[in-house]
């Protein structure tokens, strides 16, 4: 009976079409949205005239933004496309922000106060080259001082006023690389310095008005250049030669080229290879030799002399004019937990204008970049402020020896997300504040009552809103009964782990990944390491952070184990081998530490934790551990099985070799792997069977070992529309990863990627482009098990003659069948996810990250392959929607409502304890969190449920019963007396 | 229910007899490869081959087929190789087929035949070792049947204990794309019980079943916006729900009505008999008397 009820429950749940939507006053109750910009690359200060001081920044996330210097808030920002990397930023005419992007082929002007785009110019581009932007510092509206842009082999002069290209000059000659475009202040001559094959310096003098070449000089340099260059003044640059041991000063005054060589050994004793640092200092350059920063002054005749040297961990800003002919620059270096900010004059390095010491959080790492800005103090002296970018990508403003504001920009580049529970509320220590007085409690309920009876005035509505937020206690740091309060653990590209509270999105703790082996490991992925819930209850849960020293996949890995409650690193280890794949195993040891296998590039796998207990558990299951690798470039998928312990001297007993079990080879001339996907390993499937219309059962083929693969013709791997429908086809596969069997294979002719897919229970939904129909399509594939189809007979179930409890092995020949159906979908998609709930009973919603950076919730029933054109009555009762050719986009079902998650990259769902509700966290440049109830909150009362009304009703009813009882008694008595 | 079971049983008998009968002929020699999913039996190419004696019987048919002069078709042969556990691969059999080249340039493999070499004495020993250790028996095929050299191999493996029944039963599903082999699924034709028992085969000969599978075309997404609009209109007018009988429509009203009427009738008849003006208690006292 119970089985029957559970089978019917989903049917019952799905019988009502539930569309998710919010009322206006519910926005922001359960959700939050945070705006970020990413790691700052360039910063341009704007201090002239306007009262509100701003800084214009461009970032590695391709964002150009205007920040408030007082508070660090975003005035405006624009997120350019992922391929539209920003090369340079400047301010022109005192009112336009100029950005150069896409390798110097797009120039845009934004209005400084409000960020409106003023003009956009696409520049001619021939090949990849350096892109250089120079904006003249000139407030005059004058065509004599155009913006000069070099990019794609062409030099362009663009009018700042309207973006018109005044002239362009071709520098696409073979082997010629433009290195610097310089324009002396007030001059109309532009110097273009370039190298031919890195062995000959060429200087062009170009008239800035007409673009005519006034003079061209070239001079060969026998040693050859290395390409590292620093311009020290308007007529001099310093270059490193190809051996990186000689500094060459190139002077090109009046068009005559002169070289002056200075070996670095003359400047610094026992020197090795040198490296020119990026800060632009006037008549000076900074060189990194022997892990020290050496300041080299460039004399009038190109003579070099060392003026100062600093320890390695120093970050410097460009120099800035402070007085008439004086330039200053800022440098920041670390000392213990403090950083020292110094502003010095370029000419007199002993003259320190400013020296400040600031306490700095260790988890921000080192200072990466410094941008300096000066201002006039109230006492008319020069003041300095510095914008610093730290190793964890955070952005801070330092002024008057304090951190004025900070922005955690690391969160704009989240790479992996997981969730964790908060600690249980201890008995003695109540975190919740004591309930306020009875009067306030009553008042609150009266207000709520008013609200629910639609009697509330606007002020009351606001009061109710506040009350709700306060009373929900959603920001407490303890576990709640419904599992609504959780920690979202987000690992960023900078290697920092953040714990965000689901209530309001604040950072509970953060931790920078550290390693002995390398300076700054990158964060790769995040795993649940220890989640005590049966044993080891005294232990705090912990997560495993996997990092890597360097971007190459063969670089050695770093493991870090972090306590979730405190945010402290328990241990960290440099594992000495590379990390290609991390496989969480379905086994835990006695302290509930999960066993993980880490595969390296050599083909070995390593078991963690390295304990004998883990080893014995692993040895027990040795035969049944399989894994697979995808070689996307070669189009091969391989299955592996454990073989034996590693041999060799370096190997320990936790290292194992593997052998190949199966391969699937996609023909390279016709198929290229573009997407692979598996089910989430922690997904819960409640019902194994699906009740059909005619009381028939369909058994879902629920296997954890299914891999979805999408391949496309090599020609069709490019942009949409670059091929004809005949040339491109898309093939999708479902592959069993134990045996390599292809369980399902379907080819879509005339279709093209990119493929975005989601895999849950026994179905896959994928999104691609149909070239024939010129539309995006969504296809659903559901896979059912036929081997258990005969278990429908009740007698068999009663007599136990069924094979439901028999172990399932992949070596049996699978008897499966698939059902699939395609629909058109009007939008381009960035990512797809699916809701997940605690028991998997609640019906599912697809969460589609659209091209507009919003998240659309689409009920799974819309992508049911059993939809028919005219569903019968029984099918309608089951909840089958009549077939349409396209999927509906219901405006109310955007879960992000009015927000946009700029640069959306991923959506993560996690179940709460309440079966109806799921946590949704979306990340990109922005972060967004909300709670969803795909079938409405059928298992709890809503927050605004009026208990007072219920209470009053009960009281009134009781009173009424009592009164009527008394009355009837009285009447009866009088009857009897009659 | 019993009838259904009987029918099921009969059909099972028929089905099982068809399994027991090992056909020595190609079941399908149709050149056409249609949609795989629609009618799988007709499109998958089945080959069954057993011991060498049976292949001897097969040979006349082979010759006749091969003598067919067709310009576009060419014969191809590729070898199946096997390995025991970690041993090196060695030849284990030969697939021969015809490669049909279509006018549009596509190629398909037809008329697949398979001759399996029997195990040699060493191989038998090796296989027994595999059975003892529950180790993997691995096979591989070239990923391209036309130019097998220099290409990757398509590998598949199975736990050796899954194969032995009476003989050694094996089942290949070869996934093709033109002249390329994408993957091969290899295993026993039926289930492989999970705690795998150690069992030696009675006969050391292979019962091989082979299926060639090519890609299934996705159905085109239906476009029927106009039709839907049309059909919605039509639905209202042309297709009224089938008229039901009066009783079917109004039974839920009629039954209570009937009850009420019946009740009323009995009441009325009782009333007629009852003496009027009696008290409630009196009526109760009187009732047994009335029955008498």
């Amino acid at each position: 009976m119970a089985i029957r009820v559970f089978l019917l429950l989903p049917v019952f749940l799905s019988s009502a079409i539930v569309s998710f939507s919010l009322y206006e006053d519910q926005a922001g109750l359960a959700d939050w949205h945070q705006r970020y910009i990413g790691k700052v690359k360039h910063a341009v200060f704007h201090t002239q005239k306007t009262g509100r001081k701003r800084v214009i920044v461009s970032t590695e996330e391709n964002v150009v933004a205007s920040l408030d210097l007082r508070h660090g808030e975003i005035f405006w920002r624009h997120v350019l496309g992922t391929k539209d990397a920003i090369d340079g930023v400047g301010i022109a005419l005192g009112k336009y922000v100029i950005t150069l992007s896409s390798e110097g082929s797009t120039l845009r002007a934004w209005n400084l106060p409000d960020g409106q785009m003023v003009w956009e110019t696409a520049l001619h581009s021939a090949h990849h080259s350096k892109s250089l932007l120079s904006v003249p510092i000139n407030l005059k509206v004058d065509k004599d001082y155009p913006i000069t842009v070099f990019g794609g082999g062409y030099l362009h002069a663009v009018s700042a006023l309207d973006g018109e290209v005044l002239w362009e000059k071709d520098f696409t000659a073979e082997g010629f690389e433009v290195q610097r475009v310089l324009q002396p202040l007030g001059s109309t001559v532009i110097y273009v310095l370039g190298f031919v094959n890195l062995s000959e310096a060429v200087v062009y003098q170009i008239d800035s008005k007409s673009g005519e070449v006034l003079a061209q000089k070239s001079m060969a340099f026998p040693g050859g250049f290395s390409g590292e260059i620093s311009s020290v003044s308007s007529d001099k640059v310093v270059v490193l030669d190809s051996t990186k041991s000689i500094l060459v000063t190139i002077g090109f005054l009046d068009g005559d080229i002169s070289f002056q060589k200075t070996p670095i050994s003359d400047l610094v004793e026992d020197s090795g290879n040198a490296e020119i640092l990026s800060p632009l200092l006037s008549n000076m350059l900074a060189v990194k030799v022997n892990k020290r920063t050496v300041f080299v002054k460039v004399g009038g005749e190109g003579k070099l002399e060392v003026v100062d040297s600093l320890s390695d961990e120093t970050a410097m800003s460009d120099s800035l004019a402070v007085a008439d002919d004086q330039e200053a620059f800022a440098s920041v270096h670390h000392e213990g937990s403090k950083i020292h900010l110094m502003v010095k004059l370029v000419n007199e390095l002993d003259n320190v204008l400013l020296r400040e010491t600031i306490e700095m959080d260790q988890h921000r790492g080192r200072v990466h970049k410094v941008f300096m800005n000066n201002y006039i103090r109230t006492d008319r002296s020069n003041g300095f402020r510095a914008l610093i970018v730290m190793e964890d990508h955070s952005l801070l403003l330092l002024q008057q020896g304090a951190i004025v504001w900070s922005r955690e920009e690391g969160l704009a580049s989240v790479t992996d997300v997981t969730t964790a529970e908060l600690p249980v509320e201890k008995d003695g220590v109540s975190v919740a504040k004591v309930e306020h007085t009875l009067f306030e409690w009553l008042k609150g309920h009266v207000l709520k009552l008013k609200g629910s009876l639609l009697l509330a005035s606007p002020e009351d509505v606001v009061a109710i809103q506040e009350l709700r937020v306060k009373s929900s206690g959603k920001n407490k740091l303890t576990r709640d009964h419904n599992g609504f309060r959780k920690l979202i653990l987000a690992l960023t590209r900078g290697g920092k782990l953040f714990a965000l509270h689901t209530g309001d999105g604040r950072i509970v703790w953060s931790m920078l990944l550290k390693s002995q082996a390398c300076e700054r490991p990158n964060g790769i992925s995040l795993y649940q390491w220890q989640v005590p819930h049966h044993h080891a209850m005294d232990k705090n849960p912990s997560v495993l952070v996997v990092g890597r020293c360097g971007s190459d996949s063969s670089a050695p890995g770093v493991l870090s184990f972090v306590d979730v409650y405190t945010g402290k690193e328990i241990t960290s280890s440099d594992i000495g081998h590379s990390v290609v794949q991390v496989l969480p195993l379905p086994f835990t040891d006695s302290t509930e530490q999960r066993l993980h296998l880490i595969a390296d590039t050599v083909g070995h796998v390593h078991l963690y934790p390295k304990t004998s207990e883990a080893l014995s558990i692993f040895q027990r299951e040795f035969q049944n551990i399989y894994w697979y690798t995808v070689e996307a470039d070669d189009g091969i998928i391989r299955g592996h099985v454990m073989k034996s312990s590693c041999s060799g001297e370096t190997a320990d007993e936790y290292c194992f070799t593997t052998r190949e079990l199966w391969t699937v080879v996609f023909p390279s001339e016709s198929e290229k792997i573009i997407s692979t996907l598996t089910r989430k390993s922690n997904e819960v499937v409640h019902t194994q069977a699906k009740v059909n219309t005619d009381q028939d059962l369909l058994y879902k083929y629920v296997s954890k070992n299914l891999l979805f693969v999408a391949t496309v013709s090599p020609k069709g791997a490019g942009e949409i529309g670059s091929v004809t429908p005949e040339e491109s086809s898309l093939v999708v596969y479902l592959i069993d990863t134990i045996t390599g069997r292809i369980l399902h294979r379907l080819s879509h002719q005339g279709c093209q990627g990119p493929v975005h897919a989601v895999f849950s229970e026994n179905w896959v939904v994928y999104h691609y482009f149909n070239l024939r129909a010129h539309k995006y399509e969504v296809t659903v594939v559901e896979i059912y098990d036929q081997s258990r189809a005969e278990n429908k007979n009740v007698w068999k179930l009663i007599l136990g003659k069924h094979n439901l409890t028999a172990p399932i092995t992949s070596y049996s020949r699978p008897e499966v069948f698939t059902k699939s159906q395609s629909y058109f979908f009007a939008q381009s998609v960035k990512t797809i996810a699916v809701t997940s709930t605690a028991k998997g009973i609640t019906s599912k919603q697809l969460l589609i990250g659209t091209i507009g950076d919003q998240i659309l919730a689409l009920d799974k029933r819309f992508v049911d392959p059993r939809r028919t054109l005219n569903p019968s009555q029984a099918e309608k009762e089951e909840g089958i929607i009549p077939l349409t050719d396209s999927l509906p986009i219901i405006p109310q079902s955007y879960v992000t409502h009015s927000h946009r998650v700029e640069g959306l990259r991923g959506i993560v769902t996690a179940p709460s304890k309440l079966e109806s509700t799921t946590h949704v966290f979306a990340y990109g440049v922005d972060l967004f969190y909300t709670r969803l109830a795909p079938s409405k909150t059928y298992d709890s009362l809503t927050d605004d449920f009026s208990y007072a009304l219920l209470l009053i009703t009960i009281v009134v009813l009781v009173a009424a019963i009592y009164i009527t009882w008394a009355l009837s008694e009285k009447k009866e008595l009088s009857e009897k007396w009659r | 229910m019993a009838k259904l079971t009987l029918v099921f049983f009969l059909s099972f008998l028929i089905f099982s007899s068809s399994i027991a009968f090992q056909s020595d002929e190609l079941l399908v020699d149709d050149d056409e490869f249609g949609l795989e999913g629609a009618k799988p039996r007709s499109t998958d190419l089945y080959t069954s081959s057993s011991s060498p004696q049976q292949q001897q019987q097969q040979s006349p048919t082979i010759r006749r087929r091969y003598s067919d002069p067709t310009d576009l078709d060419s014969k191809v042969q590729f070898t199946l190789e096997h390995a025991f556990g970690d041993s090196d691969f060695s030849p284990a059999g030969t697939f021969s087929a015809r490669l049909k080249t279509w006018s549009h340039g596509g190629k398909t493999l037809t008329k697949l035949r398979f001759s399996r070499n029997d195990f040699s004495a060493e191989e038998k020993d090796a296989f027994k070792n595999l059975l003892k250790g529950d180790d993997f028996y691995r096979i591989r095929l070239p990923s391209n049947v036309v130019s097998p050299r220099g290409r990757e191999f398509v590998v598949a493996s199975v736990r050796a204990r899954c194969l032995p029944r009476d003989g050694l039963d094996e089942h290949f599903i070869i996934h093709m794309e033109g002249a390329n082999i994408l993957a091969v699924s290899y295993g026993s034709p039926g289930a492989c019980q999970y705690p795998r028992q150690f069992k030696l085969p009675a006969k050391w000969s292979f019962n091989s079943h082979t299926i060639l599978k090519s890609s299934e075309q996705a159905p085109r997404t239906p476009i029927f916006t106009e039709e839907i609009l049309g059909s919605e209109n039509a639905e209202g007018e042309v297709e009224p729900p089938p008229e039901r009988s009066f009783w079917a429509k109004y039974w839920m009203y009629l039954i209570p009505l009937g009850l009420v009427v019946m009740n009323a009738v009995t009441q009325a008849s009782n009333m007629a008999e009852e003496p009027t003006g009696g008290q409630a208690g009196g009526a109760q006292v009187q009732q047994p008397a009335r029955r008498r």
Side-chain angles (χ1 to χ4, degrees), chain A residues 13-19 859 861-862 879-882 890 934 936:
Chain A
L13 290 178
S14 59
S15 58
I17 290 192
V18 186
S19 77
D859 211 292
R861 282 179 300 134
F862 284 108
I880 287 184
I881 303 163
I890 306 157
K936 293 258 170 93

Side-chain angles (χ1 to χ4, degrees), chain A residues 715-733:
Chain A
K715 272 188 179 174
E719 294 277 306
I720 287 170
S722 58
V723 283
T724 59
E726 287 73 32
E727 285 174 326
S728 184
S729 68
L730 180 83
V731 193
V732 295
Y733 298 87

Side-chain angles (χ1 to χ4, degrees), chain A residues 623-624 626 636 638 641 643 659-671 731 733 739-749 768 770 772-773 775 777 790 793 795-796 806-809 811-813 818 820-824 869-870 883-885, chain B residues 1 8 41 46 85-86 133-136 138 143-144 151-159 162 171 173 175-177 180-196 211 213-225 228 235:
Chain A
Q623 288 267 313
N624 292 327
Y626 301 83
I636 301 176
R638 294 179 200 276
V641 71
K643 189 173 159 192
R659 67 173 172 215
E660 195 176 294
L661 268 194
W662 53 266
T663 55
V664 174
V665 181
F666 297 104
S668 56
E669 62 270 16
S670 62
E671 292 184 35
V731 193
Y733 298 87
T739 59
R741 286 177 205 267
I742 295 179
L743 300 180
H744 170 75
R745 180 178 173 199
L746 192 67
S747 83
H748 297 267
Q749 290 297 324
Y768 54 92
N770 187 333
R772 286 218 173 89
K775 280 176 186 171
E777 270 185 8
E790 283 159 24
N793 198 324
W795 287 112
K796 276 191 175 175
I808 294 168
T809 165
Y811 290 106
S812 294
R813 192 174 149 214
T818 54
S820 91
Q821 208 164 53
S822 303
Y823 308 91
F824 292 123
L869 209 50
N870 291 311
L883 182 66
T884 49
D885 56 354
Chain B
M1 196 65 209
F8 184 74
R41 295 290 134 138
Y46 275 76
D86 293 326
D134 194 17
D135 210 344
F136 288 97
R138 302 196 288 160
S143 66
N144 190 306
R151 291 270 194 149
E152 280 283 338
F153 285 92
V154 172
V155 185
S157 23
V158 71
R159 296 266 182 193
C162 286
H171 188 270
I173 301 172
H175 293 268
M176 303 288 302
E177 172 67 49
N180 293 303
I181 298 177
L182 282 179
V184 54
S185 305
Y186 180 69
S188 64
C192 178
Q193 291 297 328
Y194 174 57
R196 290 179 285 268
I211 300 176
K213 269 193 178 176
S214 57
S215 176
E216 186 183 332
Q217 287 284 331
R220 287 187 67 163
T221 313
I223 305 172
F224 45 76
T225 23
I228 269 223
E235 219 175 343

Side-chain angles (χ1 to χ4, degrees), chain A residues 565-587:
Chain A
Y565 290 171
T566 61
K568 297 275 184 297
E569 192 171 54
I570 303 164
T571 52
S572 78
S573 59
D574 295 297
I575 51 179
H577 59 80
S578 56
V579 178
V580 177
Q581 226 176 336
V582 183
L583 314 159
L585 298 178
F587 317 113

